[in-house]
């Protein structure tokens, strides 16, 4: 069994994807052009925001947002301690300091109460100025924006929604990647909507920021690429990826998103009588299920369990094995100082199970039976 079966997905859409690739190659227009423009329009419409700016990957998308807000030295950006490295890496990359905040044990997303406590502490210490919050929609579930948005407003902080895993999720019927002042996503192949290489996108309703984002993404361009009015990056989504993504976005919207929710529900139903903690989707939320992540009983030998599953042909992954504040890159910096007991606990107990829109009920049963047996022994 594949962890995320991109081979199977390709077989389903092979005629459409091959045609999309052929069209781009025939026109030999590989940068920009109609597929990129059309895709940006479709993405903005799907998410429900005014502007979509495509770029080279989800990490650049986050960094471009911070550059647009002129965040840098002396500024603090609050980031969940339990996330992929990019969410915090970009803060350091622009010269600011990421401060990590603990997460909720059941949703895996940033804990609003701890977020507010941490902001208050930074303000009272006076060494740094808190400027923004990165709220990650981890594993496909939108962050707790009902609580996070008022906190950002109260303290005058910008909200950057890292929807790299959240694209397709919803809260109160509103699309993920529409909650941030600027929001971002990634089209890395294994994300909810993936391309055939790297890709990313940035979303905002703000006209001025949209213009700045387009400039920063293309060498700080002014009136043209050869008129450079600020120091930017070279971060574009190439035309081939945009053409492939148009096919994939349609499939995602038409049935994949619905189907992956059914597969996830199957897991949850079958695991209900086990000693494993299954992921929750609170009322009013809809997940895009970037991952299906369970928690094993404390003290379980996770590595040996993962190995035994592998022997039965079942791939399982550990997302994430280390709290952000304990990553070697932050050693000795202010970012290494954090009190995040929930993150420390779940980093030792989480296990993500194989999941995609094409998994059959029999495959889910096979995984569940294997893991039930192994987690008891
Ligand atoms: C994948 C991911 C990113 C980065 O996206 P890339 O396209 O790989 O650069 C950022 N944040 C989170 C939460 C991610 O999962």
């Amino acid at each position: 069994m594949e962890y995320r079966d991109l081979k199977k997905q390709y077989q389903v859409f092979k005629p459409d994807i091959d045609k999309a690739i052929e069209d781009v190659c025939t026109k030999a227009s590989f940068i920009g052009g109609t597929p990129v423009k059309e895709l940006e329009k479709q993405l903005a419409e799907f998410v429900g925001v005014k502007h979509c700016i495509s770029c080279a990957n989800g990490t650049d998308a986050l960094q471009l947002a911070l550059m647009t807000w002129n965040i840098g030295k002396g500024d603090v950006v609050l980031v969940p301690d339990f996330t992929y490295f990019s969410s915090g890496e970009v803060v350091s990359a622009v010269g600011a300091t990421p401060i990590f905040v603990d997460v909720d044990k059941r949703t895996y997303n940033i804990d609003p109460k701890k977020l507010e406590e941490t902001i208050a502490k930074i303000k009272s210490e006076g060494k740094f100025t808190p400027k923004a919050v990165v709220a990650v929609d981890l594993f496909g579930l939108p962050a707790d924006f009902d609580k996070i948005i008022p906190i950002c407003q109260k303290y005058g902080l910008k909200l950057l929604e890292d929807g790299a895993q959240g694209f397709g999720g919803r809260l109160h019927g509103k699309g993920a990647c529409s909650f941030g002042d600027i929001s971002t996503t990634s089209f890395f192949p294994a994300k909810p909507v993936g391309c055939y290489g790297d890709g990313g996108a940035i979303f905002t309703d703000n006209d001025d920021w949209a213009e700045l984002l387009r400039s920063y993404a293309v060498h700080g361009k002014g009136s043209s690429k050869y008129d450079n009015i600020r120091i930017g990056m070279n971060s574009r989504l190439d035309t081939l990826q945009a053409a492939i993504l148009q096919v994939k976005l349609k499939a995602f919207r038409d049935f994949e998103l619905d189907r992956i929710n059914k597969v996830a529900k199957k897991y949850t139903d079958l695991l209900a009588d086990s000693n494993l903690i299954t992921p929750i989707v609170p009322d009013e939320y809809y997940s895009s299920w970037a991952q299906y992540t369970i928690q094993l009983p404390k003290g379980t030998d996770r590595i040996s369990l993962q190995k035994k599953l592998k022997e039965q042909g079942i791939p399982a992954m550990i997302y994430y094995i280390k709290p952000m504040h304990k990553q070697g890159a932050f050693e000795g910096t202010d970012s290494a100082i954090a009190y995040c007991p929930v993150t420390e606990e779940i980093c030792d107990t989480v296990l993500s199970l194989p999941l995609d829109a094409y998994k059959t009920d029999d495959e889910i049963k096979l995984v569940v039976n294997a893991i039930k047996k192994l987690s008891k022994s």
Side-chain angles (χ1 to χ4, degrees):
M1 176 186 313
E2 297 276 331
Y3 182 71
R4 200 165 185 99
D5 203 341
L6 298 174
K7 290 176 195 153
K8 197 164 178 181
Q9 190 197 40
Y10 174 58
Q11 289 312 315
V12 174
F13 300 109
K14 192 173 179 338
D16 291 347
I17 287 180
D18 289 358
K19 182 168 183 311
I21 293 171
E22 201 188 311
D23 283 353
V24 173
C25 294
T26 303
K27 289 191 184 113
S29 162
F30 298 109
I31 302 290
T34 311
V36 177
K37 279 199 198 90
E38 282 177 358
L39 178 74
E40 287 182 343
K41 224 176 131 215
Q42 290 159 5
L43 289 168
E45 189 192 294
F46 178 77
V47 163
V49 297
K50 194 167 169 194
H51 303 283
C52 168
I53 298 100
S54 60
C55 64
N57 56 68
T59 308
D60 282 3
L62 291 165
Q63 185 171 333
L64 287 162
L66 297 177
M67 289 166 83
T68 294
W69 290 334
N70 202 17
I71 286 174
K73 205 167 181 309
D75 297 336
V76 148
V77 178
L78 297 119
V79 179
D81 200 35
F82 189 63
T83 180
Y84 182 61
F85 191 58
S86 293
S87 314
E89 177 183 33
V90 292
V91 178
S92 299
V94 299
T97 302
I99 295 289
F100 297 106
V101 177
D102 212 358
V103 297
D104 181 274
K105 188 175 166 185
R106 293 307 304 277
T107 66
Y108 300 115
N109 282 329
I110 199 164
D111 181 330
K113 191 165 164 278
K114 290 176 185 160
L115 172 65
E116 184 158 18
E117 286 167 10
T118 310
I119 296 166
K121 188 163 166 278
I122 294 164
K123 288 225 165 195
S124 74
E125 286 169 358
K127 181 174 174 190
F128 294 110
T129 317
K131 281 279 175 73
V133 173
V134 175
V136 180
D137 303 330
L138 204 73
F139 302 153
L141 185 73
D144 189 350
F145 292 109
D146 288 337
K147 298 212 177 92
I148 295 168
I149 290 170
I151 293 172
C152 287
Q153 284 166 349
K154 179 172 165 189
Y155 293 92
L157 308 183
K158 301 265 185 345
L159 176 59
L160 175 52
E161 178 185 2
D162 178 354
Q165 301 181 17
F167 188 84
R170 290 198 282 271
L171 167 58
H172 305 301
K174 196 173 175 308
C177 299
S178 75
F179 294 98
D181 296 303
I182 296 178
S183 306
T184 63
T185 197
S186 162
F187 303 120
F188 181 84
K191 305 280 167 155
V193 176
C195 58
Y196 285 1
D198 280 306
I202 313 164
F203 301 90
T204 186
D205 282 324
N206 184 298
D207 299 342
D208 297 337
W209 293 340
E211 200 184 315
L212 277 171
L213 286 162
R214 287 205 186 275
S215 169
Y216 278 117
V218 183
H219 307 287
K221 69 171 177 174
S223 56
S224 85
K225 197 176 135 184
Y226 304 101
D227 171 36
N228 309 94
I229 55 176
R230 52 182 71 86
I231 300 299
M233 294 167 77
N234 175 22
S235 187
R236 290 179 295 235
L237 180 73
D238 63 68
T239 318
L240 273 172
Q241 301 303 342
I244 292 162
L245 279 167
Q246 283 187 294
V247 179
K248 298 258 262 179
L249 178 65
K250 185 173 186 312
F252 184 70
R253 205 166 26 187
D254 286 354
F255 73 93
E256 282 185 350
L257 187 53
D258 178 58
R259 175 68 198 146
I260 205 164
N261 268 275
K262 292 195 170 113
V263 177
K265 185 171 184 304
K266 188 89 199 164
Y267 265 135
T268 301
D269 290 347
L270 293 175
L271 286 167
D273 62 353
S274 74
N275 59 349
L276 306 162
I277 298 177
T278 53
I280 56 162
V281 179
D283 280 354
E284 294 292 321
Y285 282 79
Y286 185 75
S287 177
S288 60
W289 294 105
Q291 303 291 343
Y292 188 93
T293 302
I294 60 167
Q295 292 167 45
L296 302 167
K298 267 190 224 175
T300 304
D301 183 347
R302 182 173 52 174
I303 299 303
S304 112
L305 187 144
Q306 192 184 18
K307 197 165 149 254
K308 284 180 190 148
L309 284 170
K310 184 90 207 160
E311 283 162 11
Q312 298 180 38
I314 300 168
M317 311 289 276
I318 298 170
Y319 297 127
Y320 294 94
I321 201 153
K322 216 186 237 196
M324 289 289 280
H325 78 275
K326 291 205 164 159
Q327 291 288 0
F330 298 120
E331 206 180 305
T333 71
D334 290 284
S335 306
I337 305 158
Y339 177 67
C340 300
V342 173
T343 300
E344 289 188 17
E345 181 191 327
I346 61 183
C347 281
D348 288 337
T349 59
V350 285
L351 190 69
S352 301
L353 305 181
L355 177 73
D356 58 59
Y358 301 90
K359 294 271 180 283
T360 63
D361 282 0
D362 285 344
E363 285 177 306
I364 301 306
K365 274 180 210 154
L366 188 87
V367 177
V368 167
N369 289 340
I371 201 161
K372 273 185 178 169
K373 236 184 234 161
L374 289 169
S375 68
K376 266 174 206 144
S377 59

